[in-house]
Amino acid sequence: MRKKYVLRRFLENAVLVTGLVANNNTKECVEKQYEGKWVSMITHDKQTVNKDYELGMALLIPKDQLVETFHAPDEGNGILKTWCAKLKPGSNGYRYQVYAGWELGVDDLSKREEFIRLVDTYADYLNHPVSISIN
């Protein structure tokens, strides 16, 4: 019985840290909420290795699992220059969506507003899933 209690207490206090690398990001990061259900973290800038192309990166995180967002330090040891999200587990573990869009893949993704609109659309789909029933 003691082992189950210890494991349950461990899982209740467990966190997962994920994030978006921001070492080539000079534009402001965008954090948005969608109907109180999802939170997005969005970057869009010349984030490729040689800073040649626009790259959008985003996370969609269930609001009830998000503990906080924070920026890792620019210098030192460990994770650096990263916009991080700390998550607590939900009833089925951790859940989050990852998105990326590169301007060489789709021309419109060179525009910051278009990438943000795309993430907004995905959040809307998650908030309003299609349900089909066959009688």
Side-chain angles (χ1 to χ4, degrees):
M1 188 66 169
R2 174 88 175 126
K3 287 181 183 178
K4 284 185 179 180
Y5 172 77
V6 170
L7 180 60
R8 186 172 59 241
R9 291 286 302 173
F10 172 78
L11 293 175
E12 288 172 359
N13 295 315
V15 295
L16 171 76
V17 176
T18 187
L20 303 170
V21 175
N23 59 336
N24 289 341
N25 196 19
T26 60
K27 297 177 187 169
E28 185 176 333
C29 300
V30 176
E31 185 172 329
K32 297 175 79 174
Q33 289 194 32
Y34 304 90
E35 298 180 25
K37 298 177 185 176
W38 292 86
V39 175
S40 66
M41 297 171 62
I42 305 169
T43 63
H44 189 277
D45 205 337
K46 292 199 179 287
Q47 299 179 103
T48 55
V49 174
N50 295 321
K51 299 182 183 181
D52 293 332
Y53 302 104
E54 296 287 338
L55 174 67
M57 297 185 287
L59 297 174
L60 277 172
I61 302 165
K63 173 115 172 74
D64 63 349
Q65 288 189 10
L66 182 63
V67 175
E68 67 176 327
T69 62
F70 61 95
H71 291 273
D74 290 339
E75 299 176 356
N77 296 321
I79 297 172
L80 302 173
K81 299 180 180 179
T82 301
W83 187 23
C84 300
K86 183 187 293 185
L87 284 69
K88 61 185 176 184
S91 57
N92 292 319
Y94 300 96
R95 179 178 181 205
Y96 60 95
Q97 308 281 324
V98 180
Y99 302 93
W102 186 30
E103 77 172 283
L104 292 182
V106 177
D107 284 341
D108 278 352
L109 294 182
S110 66
K111 299 177 187 100
R112 181 178 174 90
E113 316 78 49
E114 288 301 314
F115 183 72
I116 293 171
R117 186 188 59 75
L118 188 63
V119 175
D120 292 346
T121 300
Y122 288 137
D124 190 48
Y125 292 158
L126 291 169
N127 279 333
H128 305 283
V130 174
S131 177
I132 300 172
S133 63
I134 300 173
N135 295 325

